[in-house]
Amino acid sequence: MGAPRGPFDFVPQGGGDPDVHHRCAGEQVTLALLQQATAFLTRAVRYTVPDQDLSIPLARMPTHPTSGVVIRAVRRAADAPRPSPAATGLEDLHSEV
């Protein structure tokens, strides 16, 4: 099993069932924010994506596309509803965190 952990030892984030394994304390908030960002970028705005180098060099950490991700002509989608303050998806997190 190894030496017992002290109160200041590093405990890496792990996978598996969140009820029984160590997970990131901010995981649920991060997932909710990613869902909102994805919905916004796919439903609430329109934009163009110019030609760019989207290759991902794996020798760099953290990695990202070589040219970043460039978007242009960003505008509100004509059919996008205005978000309400309660539509963040975060209101139920207090019971999960």
Side-chain angles (χ1 to χ4, degrees), residues 6-88:
F8 300 105
D9 288 348
F10 175 70
V11 179
Q13 308 308 316
D17 183 353
D19 291 333
V20 295
H21 295 102
H22 179 74
R23 300 290 285 264
C24 176
E27 179 178 6
Q28 293 299 314
V29 171
T30 300
L31 290 174
L33 291 171
L34 284 170
Q35 289 172 339
Q36 291 298 309
T38 300
F40 175 77
L41 289 171
T42 59
R43 298 182 193 142
V45 294
R46 299 291 179 258
Y47 48 86
T48 60
V49 180
D51 287 338
Q52 54 196 295
D53 184 357
L54 295 176
S55 64
I56 299 175
L58 299 179
R60 179 179 62 208
M61 286 295 162
T63 191
H64 56 78
T66 299
S67 61
V69 177
V70 178
I71 60 175
R72 294 198 175 124
V74 179
R75 62 208 176 280
R76 182 175 184 71
D79 58 345
R82 295 232 178 244
S84 69
T88 62

